[in-house]
Structure formats: structure tokens, C-alpha cells
Amino acid sequence: MEKRQEMRLRIGLMLLGILLIGLCVSFFRLAGFGVDAFTGMNLGISGFIGWTFGTWQLTANIVILVVVFFTVRYCIGAGTIINMVFVGYIADFICWLVLDALKVDMTLPLRIVSLLLALPMASLGVALYMKANMGISPYDSVALIIENLTKGKIPFAVARVVSDVTVLVIGVIFCAAAGNSIWTVVGIGTVCNALFNGPVIKFFRKQIDKIWPEL
């Protein structure tokens, strides 16, 4: 594969992955069955301090990025910046479009469909932009940091579950402290995402490696 063609493919995979993640976050929020772990933490904290979700998520990503810079610097790239800036705002826009502009009535069937779409989007999105190797989001680097610091004793899939559960607990604490219902951030969708996101990312990465082994 020519270098120019390879670069176009990498950029395409990176942008598609980030778009899927933004859509995933919005679908989790629209479903109302709980959001993914990192979104749950950011929704809890942003509600507590009175910031918009997108603005707080960007701030949280910047803080984590500092840690990533000193531990797994190779994870930082164009994809890192695009992810940390746009995912939160994509989710805010989609939720505004559906609920405020189009005024869609999120009935139970629509909520279930949104949840079923969000779950695989989360893992596939991460797997795609990790394959692009143009940098990954600060939070997605956390599991790699854990894996590296433990010299592989805690593999990526397990490290992802540990990090997801940890940030989820933080989100619930801040949500409760703000006087909001914890069910706005935690539910069956959250549990499924926290427990299975790591293994499913690993599964998708293997499948994508078979399609584009040259990358």
C-alpha cells in the first residue's frame, strides 16, 4: 500500500472511530438506561459544578492527557486532540437535535434501540481509531498505562474494566452530591459497557487487524 493511500485510510479510520464514539455517547444519553463509564463520571461532575457536559469532558481529558504525556506518550497524536475536543460536543449536539430541535418522543422502543446501537458503537469506535494509530483519547490510554505499569500482569481488557468501574463510582458520587438521580448516569447500559467494553474492543481489534493487516 502506498504511503499516501495508507495515510488516507488511517485518517478515515480515525475520523469514523471518533464519530462512532460521539454517536455512542449521545445514544446512551438518549436511551436513559445509563451511560458509558467515562461519560457517567463527566455527567456527574459537570452536573455538580454546573458546566456543560462537553466543556467539562474537554477539561477532564486535558488533565488525563498530562498523565499520558509522561507515561505512554506514543498514544498522543492527531486522533487524541480531535477525540478530546469533539466527542463531548458531538454528543451535546445530537441530544439537542433529537430532543430540542426535532422534539422526538423517546418512547421505550426507541430507548431500547438507542441502547442496542450505543453498546457496539462504543467498542468499535475505540478499536477503529486505535487501529489508525494516530493517537487515542486520553481516557482510552488509561488501560494501556495500567498494562504498562504492571508489565502486562494486568492485561488491557482487565485494566479497561478496572478503570471503567472506578470512574463510574466517581460519577455516581458526584451525581448524588449534586442531588441528582444516579439513574441519569448508571443503569443496565452502564453495567454492560463497564464489564464488556474492554473485551469487545479487543475482539473488534482482532477483526480489524484481519481486514487491514498491513496497517
Side-chain angles (χ1 to χ4, degrees), residues 128-183:
L128 282 170
Y129 80 78
M130 288 181 75
K131 179 62 175 178
N133 197 28
M134 297 186 69
I136 60 179
S137 78
Y139 179 68
D140 289 324
S141 300
V142 171
L144 291 174
I145 293 172
I146 295 173
E147 185 177 43
N148 287 351
L149 290 178
T150 62
K151 301 186 185 303
K153 293 180 180 179
I154 300 179
F156 175 85
V158 176
R160 182 61 188 237
V161 172
V162 171
S163 59
D164 281 350
V165 172
T166 300
V167 298
L168 179 58
V169 171
I170 294 172
V172 169
I173 291 173
F174 273 94
C175 190
N180 298 323
S181 170
I182 65 171
W183 304 117

Short mmCIF file of all heavy atoms in Angstrom, two decimals, residues 128-183:
data_model
loop_
_atom_site.label_atom_id
_atom_site.label_comp_id
_atom_site.label_asym_id
_atom_site.label_seq_id
_atom_site.Cartn_x
_atom_site.Cartn_y
_atom_site.Cartn_z
N LEU A 128 -11.43 1.16 16.04
CA LEU A 128 -11.09 1.77 14.75
C LEU A 128 -10.00 2.82 14.88
O LEU A 128 -9.02 2.82 14.14
CB LEU A 128 -12.34 2.39 14.12
CG LEU A 128 -13.32 1.43 13.45
CD1 LEU A 128 -14.61 2.14 13.07
CD2 LEU A 128 -12.70 0.80 12.20
N TYR A 129 -10.15 3.73 15.85
CA TYR A 129 -9.14 4.78 15.89
C TYR A 129 -7.86 4.32 16.58
O TYR A 129 -6.79 4.91 16.39
CB TYR A 129 -9.70 6.09 16.45
CG TYR A 129 -9.83 6.23 17.93
CD1 TYR A 129 -8.73 6.51 18.73
CD2 TYR A 129 -11.06 6.16 18.55
CE1 TYR A 129 -8.85 6.68 20.09
CE2 TYR A 129 -11.20 6.33 19.90
CZ TYR A 129 -10.09 6.60 20.67
OH TYR A 129 -10.22 6.75 22.03
N MET A 130 -7.92 3.22 17.34
CA MET A 130 -6.68 2.62 17.84
C MET A 130 -5.92 1.99 16.68
O MET A 130 -4.69 2.06 16.61
CB MET A 130 -6.98 1.59 18.93
CG MET A 130 -7.44 2.19 20.25
SD MET A 130 -7.76 0.97 21.55
CE MET A 130 -6.07 0.54 22.02
N LYS A 131 -6.66 1.36 15.75
CA LYS A 131 -6.03 0.77 14.57
C LYS A 131 -5.40 1.83 13.69
O LYS A 131 -4.34 1.63 13.09
CB LYS A 131 -7.07 -0.02 13.77
CG LYS A 131 -6.52 -0.66 12.49
CD LYS A 131 -5.44 -1.68 12.81
CE LYS A 131 -4.98 -2.39 11.55
NZ LYS A 131 -3.89 -3.35 11.83
N ALA A 132 -6.04 3.01 13.62
CA ALA A 132 -5.50 4.10 12.81
C ALA A 132 -4.13 4.53 13.31
O ALA A 132 -3.32 5.06 12.55
CB ALA A 132 -6.46 5.28 12.82
N ASN A 133 -3.87 4.30 14.59
CA ASN A 133 -2.56 4.62 15.19
C ASN A 133 -2.18 6.08 14.99
O ASN A 133 -1.03 6.41 14.69
CB ASN A 133 -1.48 3.71 14.60
CG ASN A 133 -0.21 3.70 15.45
OD1 ASN A 133 -0.26 3.91 16.66
ND2 ASN A 133 0.93 3.48 14.81
N MET A 134 -3.18 6.95 15.16
CA MET A 134 -2.93 8.39 15.06
C MET A 134 -3.21 9.07 16.39
O MET A 134 -3.53 10.25 16.45
CB MET A 134 -3.80 8.99 13.95
CG MET A 134 -3.50 8.45 12.57
SD MET A 134 -4.41 9.32 11.27
CE MET A 134 -3.61 10.92 11.32
N GLY A 135 -3.07 8.29 17.44
CA GLY A 135 -3.34 8.81 18.77
C GLY A 135 -4.72 8.37 19.24
O GLY A 135 -5.65 8.26 18.44
N ILE A 136 -4.84 8.09 20.52
CA ILE A 136 -6.13 7.70 21.08
C ILE A 136 -6.49 8.66 22.19
O ILE A 136 -5.66 9.44 22.66
CB ILE A 136 -6.10 6.24 21.61
CG1 ILE A 136 -5.04 6.08 22.69
CG2 ILE A 136 -5.86 5.27 20.46
CD1 ILE A 136 -4.99 4.68 23.28
N SER A 137 -7.75 8.63 22.61
CA SER A 137 -8.20 9.59 23.61
C SER A 137 -7.44 9.38 24.91
O SER A 137 -6.99 8.26 25.22
CB SER A 137 -9.70 9.43 23.87
OG SER A 137 -9.95 8.31 24.70
N PRO A 138 -7.29 10.44 25.70
CA PRO A 138 -6.58 10.30 26.98
C PRO A 138 -7.16 9.19 27.85
O PRO A 138 -6.42 8.39 28.41
CB PRO A 138 -6.76 11.68 27.62
CG PRO A 138 -6.84 12.61 26.45
CD PRO A 138 -7.62 11.85 25.42
N TYR A 139 -8.49 9.12 27.93
CA TYR A 139 -9.09 8.09 28.81
C TYR A 139 -8.81 6.68 28.29
O TYR A 139 -8.53 5.77 29.08
CB TYR A 139 -10.60 8.29 28.95
CG TYR A 139 -11.21 7.21 29.83
CD1 TYR A 139 -10.92 7.16 31.19
CD2 TYR A 139 -12.01 6.22 29.28
CE1 TYR A 139 -11.43 6.14 31.99
CE2 TYR A 139 -12.54 5.22 30.07
CZ TYR A 139 -12.24 5.17 31.43
OH TYR A 139 -12.74 4.16 32.21
N ASP A 140 -8.88 6.48 26.99
CA ASP A 140 -8.62 5.14 26.44
C ASP A 140 -7.16 4.73 26.65
O ASP A 140 -6.83 3.55 26.56
CB ASP A 140 -8.97 5.09 24.96
CG ASP A 140 -10.46 5.13 24.71
OD1 ASP A 140 -11.20 4.55 25.52
OD2 ASP A 140 -10.90 5.76 23.74
N SER A 141 -6.30 5.71 26.93
CA SER A 141 -4.90 5.40 27.21
C SER A 141 -4.70 4.88 28.63
O SER A 141 -3.66 4.28 28.93
CB SER A 141 -4.03 6.65 27.02
OG SER A 141 -4.12 7.14 25.71
N VAL A 142 -5.68 5.11 29.50
CA VAL A 142 -5.54 4.73 30.91
C VAL A 142 -5.31 3.23 31.06
O VAL A 142 -4.44 2.79 31.83
CB VAL A 142 -6.78 5.17 31.72
CG1 VAL A 142 -6.74 4.58 33.14
CG2 VAL A 142 -6.84 6.69 31.80
N ALA A 143 -6.08 2.44 30.31
CA ALA A 143 -5.91 0.98 30.39
C ALA A 143 -4.52 0.56 29.92
O ALA A 143 -3.92 -0.37 30.47
CB ALA A 143 -6.99 0.28 29.57
N LEU A 144 -4.01 1.25 28.91
CA LEU A 144 -2.65 0.95 28.43
C LEU A 144 -1.61 1.33 29.48
O LEU A 144 -0.61 0.63 29.66
CB LEU A 144 -2.37 1.70 27.13
CG LEU A 144 -3.16 1.25 25.90
CD1 LEU A 144 -2.89 2.19 24.73
CD2 LEU A 144 -2.80 -0.18 25.52
N ILE A 145 -1.85 2.44 30.18
CA ILE A 145 -0.94 2.85 31.26
C ILE A 145 -0.89 1.78 32.34
O ILE A 145 0.19 1.40 32.81
CB ILE A 145 -1.40 4.20 31.87
CG1 ILE A 145 -1.24 5.32 30.84
CG2 ILE A 145 -0.59 4.52 33.13
CD1 ILE A 145 -1.84 6.64 31.29
N ILE A 146 -2.06 1.28 32.73
CA ILE A 146 -2.14 0.23 33.75
C ILE A 146 -1.40 -1.02 33.28
O ILE A 146 -0.63 -1.63 34.03
CB ILE A 146 -3.60 -0.09 34.10
CG1 ILE A 146 -4.28 1.12 34.74
CG2 ILE A 146 -3.68 -1.30 35.03
CD1 ILE A 146 -5.77 0.95 34.96
N GLU A 147 -1.64 -1.39 32.02
CA GLU A 147 -0.99 -2.59 31.47
C GLU A 147 0.53 -2.42 31.47
O GLU A 147 1.27 -3.35 31.84
CB GLU A 147 -1.48 -2.83 30.04
CG GLU A 147 -0.95 -4.11 29.41
CD GLU A 147 -1.52 -4.34 28.02
OE1 GLU A 147 -1.60 -3.36 27.24
OE2 GLU A 147 -1.88 -5.48 27.70
N ASN A 148 1.01 -1.25 31.09
CA ASN A 148 2.45 -1.00 31.05
C ASN A 148 3.07 -0.95 32.44
O ASN A 148 4.15 -1.50 32.67
CB ASN A 148 2.74 0.31 30.31
CG ASN A 148 2.52 0.20 28.81
OD1 ASN A 148 2.32 -0.90 28.30
ND2 ASN A 148 2.54 1.31 28.11
N LEU A 149 2.41 -0.27 33.36
CA LEU A 149 2.95 -0.14 34.72
C LEU A 149 3.03 -1.48 35.44
O LEU A 149 3.89 -1.69 36.29
CB LEU A 149 2.09 0.84 35.54
CG LEU A 149 2.18 2.32 35.14
CD1 LEU A 149 1.25 3.17 35.99
CD2 LEU A 149 3.62 2.83 35.26
N THR A 150 2.12 -2.39 35.10
CA THR A 150 2.12 -3.72 35.72
C THR A 150 2.91 -4.73 34.89
O THR A 150 2.90 -5.92 35.20
CB THR A 150 0.68 -4.24 35.92
OG1 THR A 150 0.04 -4.36 34.65
CG2 THR A 150 -0.11 -3.30 36.82
N LYS A 151 3.57 -4.21 33.82
CA LYS A 151 4.36 -5.06 32.92
C LYS A 151 3.55 -6.23 32.36
O LYS A 151 4.03 -7.36 32.28
CB LYS A 151 5.61 -5.57 33.64
CG LYS A 151 6.52 -4.44 34.14
CD LYS A 151 7.81 -4.96 34.71
CE LYS A 151 8.66 -3.86 35.31
NZ LYS A 151 8.98 -2.78 34.35
N GLY A 152 2.30 -5.96 32.03
CA GLY A 152 1.45 -6.95 31.40
C GLY A 152 0.74 -7.88 32.35
O GLY A 152 -0.06 -8.73 31.92
N LYS A 153 1.00 -7.74 33.66
CA LYS A 153 0.32 -8.62 34.63
C LYS A 153 -1.18 -8.34 34.64
O LYS A 153 -1.98 -9.23 34.93
CB LYS A 153 0.93 -8.43 36.01
CG LYS A 153 2.37 -8.93 36.12
CD LYS A 153 2.92 -8.73 37.52
CE LYS A 153 4.36 -9.23 37.62
NZ LYS A 153 4.94 -9.02 38.97
N ILE A 154 -1.54 -7.08 34.39
CA ILE A 154 -2.95 -6.73 34.23
C ILE A 154 -3.14 -6.40 32.74
O ILE A 154 -2.74 -5.33 32.29
CB ILE A 154 -3.36 -5.52 35.09
CG1 ILE A 154 -3.12 -5.82 36.57
CG2 ILE A 154 -4.83 -5.17 34.86
CD1 ILE A 154 -3.48 -4.67 37.50
N PRO A 155 -3.71 -7.31 31.95
CA PRO A 155 -3.86 -7.08 30.51
C PRO A 155 -4.85 -5.96 30.21
O PRO A 155 -5.64 -5.56 31.08
CB PRO A 155 -4.37 -8.43 29.99
CG PRO A 155 -5.02 -9.07 31.17
CD PRO A 155 -4.24 -8.62 32.37
N PHE A 156 -4.82 -5.49 28.98
CA PHE A 156 -5.64 -4.35 28.58
C PHE A 156 -7.11 -4.55 28.92
O PHE A 156 -7.76 -3.64 29.48
CB PHE A 156 -5.50 -4.10 27.07
CG PHE A 156 -6.41 -3.02 26.54
CD1 PHE A 156 -6.04 -1.70 26.61
CD2 PHE A 156 -7.65 -3.34 26.00
CE1 PHE A 156 -6.89 -0.70 26.13
CE2 PHE A 156 -8.51 -2.36 25.52
CZ PHE A 156 -8.12 -1.04 25.59
N ALA A 157 -7.67 -5.72 28.57
CA ALA A 157 -9.10 -5.94 28.78
C ALA A 157 -9.48 -5.81 30.25
O ALA A 157 -10.50 -5.20 30.60
CB ALA A 157 -9.51 -7.32 28.25
N VAL A 158 -8.66 -6.38 31.14
CA VAL A 158 -8.93 -6.31 32.58
C VAL A 158 -8.72 -4.87 33.08
O VAL A 158 -9.51 -4.35 33.88
CB VAL A 158 -8.03 -7.28 33.35
CG1 VAL A 158 -8.24 -7.13 34.86
CG2 VAL A 158 -8.32 -8.72 32.93
N ALA A 159 -7.66 -4.23 32.60
CA ALA A 159 -7.37 -2.85 33.01
C ALA A 159 -8.51 -1.92 32.61
O ALA A 159 -8.84 -0.98 33.35
CB ALA A 159 -6.06 -2.39 32.39
N ARG A 160 -9.12 -2.18 31.46
CA ARG A 160 -10.22 -1.34 31.00
C ARG A 160 -11.42 -1.49 31.92
O ARG A 160 -12.10 -0.51 32.25
CB ARG A 160 -10.60 -1.70 29.56
CG ARG A 160 -11.72 -0.85 28.97
CD ARG A 160 -11.34 0.61 28.91
NE ARG A 160 -12.46 1.44 28.53
CZ ARG A 160 -12.43 2.26 27.47
NH1 ARG A 160 -11.35 2.36 26.73
NH2 ARG A 160 -13.48 3.00 27.19
N VAL A 161 -11.70 -2.72 32.35
CA VAL A 161 -12.80 -2.94 33.28
C VAL A 161 -12.54 -2.21 34.60
O VAL A 161 -13.43 -1.55 35.16
CB VAL A 161 -13.01 -4.45 33.54
CG1 VAL A 161 -14.03 -4.66 34.66
CG2 VAL A 161 -13.47 -5.15 32.27
N VAL A 162 -11.31 -2.30 35.11
CA VAL A 162 -10.94 -1.64 36.36
C VAL A 162 -11.12 -0.13 36.26
O VAL A 162 -11.72 0.51 37.14
CB VAL A 162 -9.48 -1.97 36.75
CG1 VAL A 162 -9.04 -1.11 37.94
CG2 VAL A 162 -9.34 -3.45 37.09
N SER A 163 -10.62 0.47 35.18
CA SER A 163 -10.73 1.92 35.01
C SER A 163 -12.18 2.35 34.82
O SER A 163 -12.62 3.37 35.36
CB SER A 163 -9.87 2.39 33.83
OG SER A 163 -10.27 1.78 32.62
N ASP A 164 -12.96 1.55 34.07
CA ASP A 164 -14.37 1.88 33.85
C ASP A 164 -15.16 1.87 35.15
O ASP A 164 -15.97 2.77 35.42
CB ASP A 164 -15.00 0.91 32.85
CG ASP A 164 -14.66 1.23 31.40
OD1 ASP A 164 -14.09 2.32 31.16
OD2 ASP A 164 -14.97 0.42 30.52
N VAL A 165 -14.95 0.84 35.95
CA VAL A 165 -15.67 0.74 37.22
C VAL A 165 -15.29 1.89 38.15
O VAL A 165 -16.14 2.48 38.83
CB VAL A 165 -15.41 -0.62 37.90
CG1 VAL A 165 -15.99 -0.64 39.31
CG2 VAL A 165 -16.00 -1.76 37.06
N THR A 166 -14.01 2.24 38.17
CA THR A 166 -13.53 3.32 39.04
C THR A 166 -14.17 4.66 38.69
O THR A 166 -14.69 5.36 39.57
CB THR A 166 -11.99 3.45 38.94
OG1 THR A 166 -11.40 2.21 39.35
CG2 THR A 166 -11.50 4.56 39.85
N VAL A 167 -14.13 5.03 37.40
CA VAL A 167 -14.71 6.33 37.02
C VAL A 167 -16.22 6.33 37.17
O VAL A 167 -16.83 7.38 37.45
CB VAL A 167 -14.30 6.73 35.58
CG1 VAL A 167 -12.80 6.90 35.48
CG2 VAL A 167 -14.80 5.74 34.55
N LEU A 168 -16.84 5.17 37.02
CA LEU A 168 -18.28 5.08 37.21
C LEU A 168 -18.66 5.39 38.66
O LEU A 168 -19.63 6.12 38.91
CB LEU A 168 -18.78 3.68 36.83
CG LEU A 168 -20.27 3.42 37.00
CD1 LEU A 168 -21.08 4.42 36.18
CD2 LEU A 168 -20.61 1.99 36.59
N VAL A 169 -17.90 4.85 39.59
CA VAL A 169 -18.16 5.12 41.01
C VAL A 169 -18.01 6.62 41.30
O VAL A 169 -18.82 7.21 42.02
CB VAL A 169 -17.19 4.31 41.91
CG1 VAL A 169 -17.30 4.76 43.36
CG2 VAL A 169 -17.50 2.82 41.79
N ILE A 170 -17.00 7.24 40.71
CA ILE A 170 -16.79 8.69 40.88
C ILE A 170 -18.01 9.45 40.35
O ILE A 170 -18.50 10.39 40.99
CB ILE A 170 -15.51 9.14 40.15
CG1 ILE A 170 -14.28 8.53 40.82
CG2 ILE A 170 -15.41 10.67 40.15
CD1 ILE A 170 -12.99 8.77 40.06
N GLY A 171 -18.51 9.05 39.18
CA GLY A 171 -19.67 9.71 38.60
C GLY A 171 -20.90 9.61 39.48
O GLY A 171 -21.64 10.59 39.65
N VAL A 172 -21.13 8.44 40.05
CA VAL A 172 -22.28 8.23 40.93
C VAL A 172 -22.17 9.11 42.18
O VAL A 172 -23.14 9.73 42.62
CB VAL A 172 -22.40 6.74 41.32
CG1 VAL A 172 -23.42 6.57 42.45
CG2 VAL A 172 -22.78 5.91 40.11
N ILE A 173 -20.97 9.20 42.74
CA ILE A 173 -20.76 10.00 43.94
C ILE A 173 -21.07 11.47 43.67
O ILE A 173 -21.79 12.13 44.44
CB ILE A 173 -19.31 9.85 44.45
CG1 ILE A 173 -19.10 8.43 45.00
CG2 ILE A 173 -19.00 10.89 45.54
CD1 ILE A 173 -17.65 8.12 45.37
N PHE A 174 -20.56 12.01 42.57
CA PHE A 174 -20.80 13.42 42.25
C PHE A 174 -22.26 13.67 41.88
O PHE A 174 -22.82 14.73 42.19
CB PHE A 174 -19.89 13.87 41.11
CG PHE A 174 -18.54 14.35 41.57
CD1 PHE A 174 -17.46 13.47 41.61
CD2 PHE A 174 -18.35 15.65 41.99
CE1 PHE A 174 -16.21 13.90 42.04
CE2 PHE A 174 -17.12 16.09 42.43
CZ PHE A 174 -16.04 15.21 42.46
N CYS A 175 -22.88 12.70 41.22
CA CYS A 175 -24.29 12.84 40.85
C CYS A 175 -25.16 12.92 42.11
O CYS A 175 -26.04 13.76 42.23
CB CYS A 175 -24.72 11.66 39.98
SG CYS A 175 -26.34 11.85 39.23
N ALA A 176 -24.87 12.04 43.07
CA ALA A 176 -25.61 12.05 44.33
C ALA A 176 -25.34 13.33 45.12
O ALA A 176 -26.24 13.92 45.72
CB ALA A 176 -25.23 10.82 45.15
N ALA A 177 -24.09 13.79 45.09
CA ALA A 177 -23.73 15.02 45.81
C ALA A 177 -24.44 16.23 45.24
O ALA A 177 -24.72 17.20 45.96
CB ALA A 177 -22.21 15.22 45.77
N ALA A 178 -24.73 16.20 43.93
CA ALA A 178 -25.42 17.31 43.29
C ALA A 178 -26.93 17.24 43.51
O ALA A 178 -27.66 18.15 43.10
CB ALA A 178 -25.11 17.32 41.79
N GLY A 179 -27.38 16.16 44.13
CA GLY A 179 -28.81 15.99 44.37
C GLY A 179 -29.57 15.46 43.19
O GLY A 179 -30.80 15.52 43.15
N ASN A 180 -28.84 14.94 42.20
CA ASN A 180 -29.49 14.38 41.01
C ASN A 180 -29.66 12.87 41.17
O ASN A 180 -28.94 12.22 41.93
CB ASN A 180 -28.63 14.66 39.76
CG ASN A 180 -28.48 16.14 39.50
OD1 ASN A 180 -29.41 16.91 39.71
ND2 ASN A 180 -27.29 16.55 39.06
N SER A 181 -30.59 12.32 40.41
CA SER A 181 -30.81 10.88 40.45
C SER A 181 -29.62 10.17 39.84
O SER A 181 -29.16 10.53 38.75
CB SER A 181 -32.08 10.51 39.67
OG SER A 181 -32.18 9.10 39.52
N ILE A 182 -29.10 9.17 40.53
CA ILE A 182 -27.94 8.44 40.00
C ILE A 182 -28.31 7.65 38.75
O ILE A 182 -27.43 7.24 37.99
CB ILE A 182 -27.35 7.48 41.06
CG1 ILE A 182 -28.35 6.37 41.42
CG2 ILE A 182 -26.90 8.24 42.28
CD1 ILE A 182 -27.75 5.29 42.28
N TRP A 183 -29.62 7.46 38.51
CA TRP A 183 -30.04 6.69 37.34
C TRP A 183 -29.83 7.47 36.05
O TRP A 183 -30.00 6.92 34.96
CB TRP A 183 -31.50 6.26 37.49
CG TRP A 183 -31.73 5.49 38.74
CD1 TRP A 183 -32.52 5.83 39.79
CD2 TRP A 183 -31.13 4.24 39.12
NE1 TRP A 183 -32.45 4.90 40.79
CE2 TRP A 183 -31.60 3.91 40.41
CE3 TRP A 183 -30.21 3.38 38.49
CZ2 TRP A 183 -31.20 2.75 41.07
CZ3 TRP A 183 -29.82 2.23 39.16
CH2 TRP A 183 -30.31 1.93 40.43
#
